Amino acid sequence: GQNIDQPTEMTATEGAIVQINCTYQTSEFNGLFWYQQHAGEAPTFLSYNVLDGLEEKGRFSSFLSRSKGYSYLLLKELQMKDSASYLCAVKDSNYQLIWGAGTKLIIKP
Amino acid sequence: DVKVTQSSRYLVKRTGEKVFLECVQDMDHENMFWYRQDPGLGLRLIYFSYDVKMKEKGDIPEGYSVSREKKERFSLILESASTNQTSMYLCASSFLTDTGELFFGEGSRLTVL
């Protein structure tokens, strides 16, 4: 079967660093996405990884290891506005996205 | 600025009613999608469309139908709403040959009583 796992909830402190993990088991792999979704709002695109390694974009970085079926999203210098759910999604053989349930990130002052 | 607009943010309907959810995008995207989002579950694909008048079933099409008469508009129809269709419905669009980055609407929260 196809499966995407990520923690349900994480808590971190303003100004700190947090790493949100995502593991996947899919029949095929054609890329991995991270989206951010604030409560009551639409998901918005954060990153896309198709090759192994780290992609850095400002305070956010995303890492992929295809051999391990593993990705993480790294958020640095956390701000209160980073409180949101973070969704991991894998593009499968039909080029459709399989979604994890999301990780709710709570930032405390 | 790119925009996907869903017609209703909040709807309350009764069991058995017909429900229309409309979605319009202004980015000239070929692909359009309807998802539902429920607590503790990932987004689940209901239907998608690669072109006008074209539709494909997603993972959970039962109880739903769609219509795409114009490129910019993709409608989701619940022929006879049931309580288990109470959910958040998200419309999204993307370019056909792109990485697959999706642009989402704000969502329509449907409650079926």
Side-chain angles (χ1 to χ4, degrees), chain A residues 16-79:
Chain A
I17 299 173
V18 71
Q19 178 175 309
I20 302 174
N21 295 327
C22 172
T23 57
Y24 62 89
Q25 290 178 306
T26 56
S27 53
E28 281 195 38
F29 177 86
N30 290 291
L32 186 143
F33 291 83
W34 285 97
Y35 282 79
Q36 180 190 59
Q37 185 178 24
H38 286 101
E41 297 184 11
T44 55
F45 171 81
L46 286 177
S47 68
Y48 172 67
N49 294 67
V50 66
L51 299 175
D52 291 351
L54 188 69
E55 297 270 348
E56 296 186 77
K57 199 186 288 187
R59 294 188 298 113
F60 291 13
S61 303
S62 57
F63 171 83
L64 175 67
S65 169
R66 289 172 296 170
S67 62
K68 294 182 179 178
Y70 168 69
S71 173
Y72 66 73
L73 182 69
L74 190 72
L75 291 73
K76 302 177 185 175
E77 301 168 17
L78 286 169
Q79 302 175 9

Side-chain angles (χ1 to χ4, degrees), chain B residues 2-18:
Chain B
V2 297
K3 205 165 176 83
V4 179
T5 304
Q6 296 185 225
S7 54
S8 305
R9 290 295 306 272
Y10 301 95
L11 302 96
V12 179
K13 298 291 181 181
R14 297 207 173 272
T15 300
E17 281 192 86
K18 192 168 187 176

Side-chain angles (χ1 to χ4, degrees), chain A residues 8 30 33 35 37 40-46 48 85 87 91-92 94-102, chain B residues 9-10 33 35 37 40-45 48 50 59 88 90 98-107:
Chain A
T8 303
N30 290 291
F33 291 83
Y35 282 79
Q37 185 178 24
E41 297 184 11
T44 55
F45 171 81
L46 286 177
Y48 172 67
S85 289
L87 313 180
K91 193 190 303 184
D92 71 2
N94 294 320
Y95 289 81
Q96 296 304 319
L97 295 184
I98 306 164
W99 296 82
Chain B
R9 290 295 306 272
Y10 301 95
F33 305 83
Y35 287 94
Q37 185 174 34
L41 299 177
L43 272 69
R44 292 181 290 169
L45 183 63
F48 61 99
Y50 289 135
D59 300 318
M88 170 68 84
L90 290 168
D98 207 347
T99 57
E101 177 188 347
L102 297 178
F103 295 85
F104 285 88
E106 294 290 326

Side-chain angles (χ1 to χ4, degrees), chain B residues 56-113:
Chain B
E56 294 284 346
K57 293 179 180 179
D59 300 318
I60 51 163
E62 296 79 19
Y64 303 95
S65 62
V66 290
S67 172
R68 193 163 181 204
E69 295 297 317
K70 294 184 178 181
K71 188 176 185 180
E72 68 271 18
R73 188 179 298 269
F74 193 36
S75 302
L76 180 69
I77 303 146
L78 288 68
E79 293 289 342
S80 178
S82 63
T83 55
N84 62 13
Q85 292 179 309
T86 292
S87 186
M88 170 68 84
Y89 290 88
L90 290 168
C91 174
S93 67
S94 69
F95 285 115
L96 185 64
T97 55
D98 207 347
T99 57
E101 177 188 347
L102 297 178
F103 295 85
F104 285 88
E106 294 290 326
S108 298
R109 183 165 293 282
L110 171 66
T111 301
V112 183
L113 302 175

